[in-house]
Amino acid sequence: MNPGDLLLHLNPLLLLASLATGALHLRDGDAEKRLLQRVSLGLLLASLTASLLLLGSYFYRTALEFAYVADYSAVELPLRYKLAGVWAGRDGTLLIWCWAAALALNWELWRGSGAAGGDAAGARRRGDVHQQRVLVLFASGILLALAAIQLAINPFTLSDPLPTEGRGLNPLLQSPWMTIHPPIVFAAYGFAVPLYAAGLAALVARGDAWLDVGRRWARWFWLLTAGALTMGGYWAYTTLGWGGFWAWDPVETSGLLPWLAGTTFLHAAVMGKRKHHYALLGPLLAMMVLLLVLFESFVTRGGIWLSVHAFLPSQGDSAAQRFLAVMADDRSVKGLVLLLGSCLAATGFTTARAYSRAPPPEPRQREKLEEWLDEDTTYFGAIYTQLLILTVTLVLLLTGVNGYLPGFVFETRLALFVALLAAFFAIYTLQRWHPPRQLLGWCGAAAGASVVLGLLLLGARPGSWMAGAALPWAALAGYAALRYLWSFRGKPLLPRLRAWGPYIAHLGIILVALGYGVSYGLDQVETIELEEGETAEAAGFTVTLDEVAMRPGEENRLEAQFRLHRGDKLVVDATAARINTAGSAEWRTLIYLEHRLDRDIYVTLDEAVPGEGEQPSRATLTVRQIPGIMLVWTGALLTTGGMALTMFTDWAPGKQWLRKFNF
């Protein structure tokens, strides 16, 4: 047994020791058992850290005696892509997932302290400590299941027979984004573990500790997932030659679901902290994040959905056949399904039990319009609408299990709910400055303008309605966000930034939604076939093909030199290409991409044939003008920056540093 193999088999034993000592400490309060639990989890983190470093060292020296290294590395790869092989497959990514969960678990265990005092405050503190200990036990149990699954996909399994060279990294994965995108995704997965445990502990043990724990790890999960979705979108946009950043691919869509659940939970947590609302819905939303993470992992790893991102090839003619095949052949996927089922059962049982014991809500009398549109009602409406968006997206994903659902299916089904969410956001935010009747009038005007503009653009080209429909709602919601930010302009720096953080994130989401509608609704796309020296009109440009040439070498490169004119003005003089490694039948597209503030110019070479004899060279080019795409990337930066600012202003050293400034 090699050192890495030994470490992976040690992890479940350490978790069993942690569970046993933690349960005994919970029963009798023995401080020695508490210490043993801390030591067990500390050793677990050390073991997982050593495993990752060891695996990284094997990729660094291309240790082909390990099957995982041979599958995802090669001697000739650049160093950064060798190291990226650590997370190129399921084996390494699950290891990162376990490591991040262990890191969060150790943080929560070591920051907890015992309760003191016999007064009411001391009693509340004892309840919080008890809940925190229960939380750590639940998280340890989930981590034990993940560690057991890791044994089925062991990255330290030896090669048999020993290969003479590695297979290398898929050319599509040889991107700078590969060095950062996957580890961020799976670190976020790890932080979903204490979030689930916090929600479960809230329903089975009294105390308020769960909310602080849940908000802490939900924020980290949200920030990392939002960053990963942005990176993944830009990676697809610049690498795959699709001309788009979001395709509603099953793996993309399933990756969006936990982020939506995390967004809804964070909104519920605000009122949970401020007014003690959502005592049942808040924990349920916290648990939904991990449930949807496990579901996403199943979508990605199971091969049930047809996706360009799936880890496993699809098998069989139907989803049922593919499911049965993978369950019979892959123990890791079987383990994921069992873990998902167990978490679903625990969530359902504890939620039903808590609901049956909860006191009935007090009926509330509403007579005036102001009472129907007050802060609590509109906030609940926003949360409920977010849940509807999550539910509709999940249902559409499940509906498309036997075939690809085009993007317009998602867009047309979700558009109404997105507009409703914008209305609730605007009313909630602006009600302190404008009367409810005026706000309802504005929402009615936005709805009317949205319908009119959508219908006017509908006949222009498929999908163009989105740009017209999105613009009025984006204007109303954007005004609400900016009005809120403006209202804090005279406050001291710390309270100003604490108020700004969430609304900067909201403003970013508004820009992303508007950018999606404009870029996919108003883009111009045309594919043309040209002979060398020929000119044609495409996507608003005059396109001239100047030369087609094959550049042989270690990487064969098929190039098309082209020019784009608008009238007499030369806009682009550039090259698009397709390349493949010598001896390989797979070709990759190298796009031409020019970012501009108002639009992107995006050209791909679909096919090219160099001339022979009297046969002229010819090429097939796809030319795109994509307006508004900078709204998406700007919005994504504002979204992640707003959350980072929120976290910084809620961090004790951050608050202490900002208090030094009084402007």
Side-chain angles (χ1 to χ4, degrees):
M1 184 176 286
N2 60 70
D5 208 23
L6 180 63
L7 288 171
L8 291 192
H9 283 81
L10 178 63
N11 294 337
L13 298 177
L14 290 170
L15 281 162
L16 286 171
S18 168
L19 283 167
T21 53
L24 291 172
H25 171 69
L26 192 65
R27 185 191 67 181
D28 54 30
D30 188 346
E32 184 176 342
K33 294 183 179 65
R34 171 79 164 174
L35 178 61
L36 288 173
Q37 183 188 28
R38 289 183 172 184
V39 170
S40 299
L41 287 177
L43 289 174
L44 173 71
L45 180 60
S47 173
L48 288 166
T49 304
S51 300
L52 277 172
L53 292 174
L54 189 62
L55 186 60
S57 72
Y58 291 155
F59 273 92
Y60 175 77
R61 63 180 181 86
T62 318
L64 299 179
E65 62 268 26
F66 296 98
Y68 185 63
V69 177
D71 284 341
Y72 295 104
S73 189
V75 173
E76 65 274 9
L77 277 178
L79 177 59
R80 62 178 176 176
Y81 295 138
K82 283 186 178 182
L83 296 179
V86 171
W87 45 80
R90 315 185 281 163
D91 313 39
T93 52
L94 182 57
L95 192 58
I96 296 172
W97 185 347
C98 292
W99 176 84
L103 178 67
L105 197 53
N106 274 273
W107 175 270
E108 291 304 327
L109 185 65
W110 282 90
R111 75 185 301 275
S113 59
D119 56 1
R124 286 196 300 272
R125 180 61 184 157
R126 285 194 296 274
D128 287 352
V129 171
H130 174 75
Q131 190 180 69
Q132 192 257 3
R133 291 169 183 170
V134 171
L135 185 155
V136 171
L137 279 179
F138 287 153
S140 298
I142 297 169
L143 189 50
L144 175 61
L146 293 174
I149 295 171
Q150 182 77 78
L151 297 179
I153 46 175
N154 185 344
F156 300 104
T157 301
L158 296 176
S159 300
D160 186 20
L162 182 66
T164 56
E165 59 182 18
R167 296 181 183 178
L169 198 61
N170 187 315
L172 289 177
L173 298 181
Q174 294 181 31
S175 162
W177 298 111
M178 181 62 188
T179 61
I180 186 171
H181 171 71
I184 287 178
V185 171
F186 287 93
Y189 284 11
F191 296 154
V193 172
L195 177 56
Y196 178 91
L200 193 60
L203 298 181
V204 301
R206 293 182 178 179
D208 294 326
W210 82 274
L211 191 53
D212 286 334
V213 175
R215 290 171 73 228
R216 175 164 45 253
W217 298 112
R219 284 173 172 178
W220 275 109
F221 173 86
W222 194 95
L223 177 64
L224 294 179
T225 304
L229 288 170
T230 303
M231 293 175 194
Y234 192 77
W235 186 357
Y237 183 65
T238 58
T239 301
L240 298 176
W242 293 342
F245 55 89
W246 189 262
W248 294 105
D249 178 86
V251 170
E252 292 176 353
T253 306
S254 64
L256 180 67
L257 293 173
W259 182 83
L260 290 174
T263 303
T264 313
F265 166 74
L266 285 170
H267 283 87
V270 170
M271 286 300 182
K273 188 78 172 176
R274 189 185 302 169
K275 297 186 177 182
H276 301 287
H277 289 179
Y278 308 115
L280 184 59
L281 181 60
L284 178 59
L285 289 169
M287 291 187 283
M288 280 179 62
V289 174
L290 181 66
L291 292 175
L292 291 170
V293 162
L294 293 171
F295 175 72
E296 178 192 2
S297 299
F298 174 68
V299 172
T300 306
R301 299 166 186 268
I304 311 302
W305 277 262
L306 304 176
S307 168
V308 298
H309 301 282
F311 276 93
L312 298 177
S314 299
Q315 305 174 33
D317 297 325
S318 69
Q321 289 176 327
R322 294 193 293 271
F323 176 76
L324 292 174
V326 76
M327 288 294 287
D329 298 338
D330 196 311
R331 289 184 297 161
S332 67
V333 175
K334 188 183 297 184
L336 272 176
V337 172
L338 289 174
L339 178 56
L340 176 57
S342 300
C343 289
L344 273 172
T347 301
F349 174 77
T350 54
T351 303
R353 181 170 175 267
Y355 180 78
S356 66
R357 296 184 175 188
E362 296 182 5
R364 182 179 174 187
Q365 298 295 328
R366 293 184 176 93
E367 297 179 357
K368 299 180 180 179
L369 182 62
E370 291 80 0
E371 295 172 340
W372 283 100
L373 295 178
D374 64 5
E375 180 183 76
D376 291 345
T377 305
T378 51
Y379 203 90
F380 175 76
I383 289 179
Y384 185 72
T385 307
Q386 290 176 58
L387 281 174
L388 286 174
I389 292 172
L390 172 62
T391 303
V392 171
T393 306
L394 177 59
V395 169
L396 290 175
L397 177 62
L398 294 172
T399 303
V401 70
N402 273 320
Y404 174 72
L405 284 182
F408 74 84
V409 175
F410 289 88
E411 293 156 1
T412 53
R413 270 60 169 184
L414 292 172
L416 178 62
F417 300 109
V418 173
L420 186 60
L421 183 60
F424 278 124
F425 173 76
I427 294 172
Y428 173 83
T429 304
L430 293 173
Q431 61 184 274
R432 67 197 69 185
W433 299 292
H434 301 281
R437 291 189 184 279
Q438 184 180 23
L439 295 176
L440 278 182
W442 288 0
C443 288
S450 179
V451 171
V452 171
L453 289 175
L455 289 175
L456 286 175
L457 290 175
L458 184 61
R461 54 187 310 277
S464 58
W465 64 270
M466 288 190 296
L471 186 58
W473 290 113
L476 179 60
Y479 166 71
L482 291 172
R483 180 66 181 86
Y484 183 89
L485 293 172
W486 180 254
S487 68
F488 281 84
R489 65 192 182 281
K491 301 289 185 181
L493 185 61
L494 177 57
R496 188 195 323 161
L497 294 182
R498 292 188 73 173
W500 278 5
Y503 273 80
I504 289 174
H506 283 88
L507 185 60
I509 292 173
I510 294 166
L511 290 179
V512 170
L514 178 61
Y516 182 95
V518 172
S519 62
Y520 279 113
L522 299 181
D523 62 328
Q524 299 181 56
V525 184
E526 199 164 344
T527 300
I528 53 173
E529 184 176 353
L530 296 171
E531 292 185 355
E532 197 169 86
E534 192 176 2
T535 296
E537 300 294 321
F541 294 108
T542 301
V543 185
T544 303
L545 179 64
D546 291 325
E547 182 186 13
V548 175
M550 173 69 79
R551 318 280 188 200
E554 186 176 339
E555 281 192 333
N556 295 318
R557 185 180 178 98
L558 186 58
E559 294 183 349
Q561 182 75 28
F562 64 90
R563 285 174 290 138
L564 303 181
H565 286 82
R566 179 171 284 119
D568 295 330
K569 181 182 178 182
L570 177 65
V571 179
V572 170
D573 185 353
T575 300
R578 291 169 61 82
I579 64 172
N580 82 329
T581 304
S584 171
E586 182 179 351
W587 288 83
R588 289 188 292 129
T589 300
L590 295 184
I591 64 170
Y592 170 79
L593 173 61
E594 181 180 332
H595 291 301
R596 299 190 177 190
L597 285 177
D598 59 334
R599 70 186 189 280
D600 279 6
I601 299 174
Y602 194 106
V603 182
T604 55
L605 175 62
D606 302 326
E607 187 180 359
V609 179
E612 293 184 5
E614 296 183 358
Q615 293 293 327
S617 301
R618 66 179 188 275
T620 302
L621 297 171
T622 296
V623 183
R624 294 178 174 89
Q625 282 196 81
I626 309 175
I629 191 72
M630 290 304 294
L631 291 171
V632 175
W633 311 128
T634 303
L637 289 174
L638 287 176
T639 300
T640 52
M643 176 55 78
L645 181 60
T646 300
M647 295 168 67
F648 183 75
T649 54
D650 206 28
W651 182 43
K655 288 190 285 188
Q656 184 178 3
W657 183 76
L658 288 171
R659 285 194 181 102
K660 298 177 182 178
F661 303 93
N662 293 318
F663 58 87

